[in-house]
Structure formats: C-alpha cells, structure tokens
Amino acid sequence: MQRLREIALAGTELARATAATIRVNLLKIGASVVRNTRRIPILFASHHPQRETFLVAARILAT
C-alpha cells in the first residue's frame, strides 16, 4: 500500500491516506469483468466517487 501511495497516488487526494482508506475507497469497489478472446474489459460504475483517482492510479501502474 505504501508503494501504491508513493507511485500511483502522488498528487491525488489519497496521497496521504492510510492503507485502510485506500483499500476501502479504491480496491473494494464493485465491477463487472467481461471475458473476451482478446481483451478482458472491466466495467466500473459510472458514479463511483473515486473514479478519476482510480483511473489515474491504473494508468500510472500500467506503464
């Protein structure tokens, strides 16, 4: 969690959050996983309050 906070959450509102807060706000969210032959899209709820933060962190971790 500390590395996630240092690398992916720097500059976001969760940059100084505790591990429990990160777990509840970013990791324990509902999603639908659709399996395809080439890709595995993950469909999140459009109204999730931490949506933008999750997308920023995912993009940083993907590089």
Side-chain angles (χ1 to χ4, degrees):
M1 284 296 180
Q2 183 175 348
R3 297 293 292 162
L4 173 67
R5 185 178 28 216
E6 291 171 357
I7 295 170
L9 297 176
T12 66
E13 62 268 10
L14 294 176
R16 297 178 50 97
T18 65
T21 303
I22 294 170
R23 182 175 51 83
V24 169
N25 287 336
L26 287 184
L27 303 179
K28 291 181 79 174
I29 58 176
S32 175
V33 179
V34 181
R35 289 179 45 178
N36 195 345
T37 56
R38 295 179 188 223
R39 292 182 248 174
I40 301 176
I42 302 173
L43 308 173
F44 295 102
S46 61
H47 63 278
H48 187 270
Q50 296 290 334
R51 180 179 170 199
E52 294 301 320
T53 305
F54 183 87
L55 291 174
V56 167
R59 285 186 187 122
I60 291 171
L61 292 174
T63 59

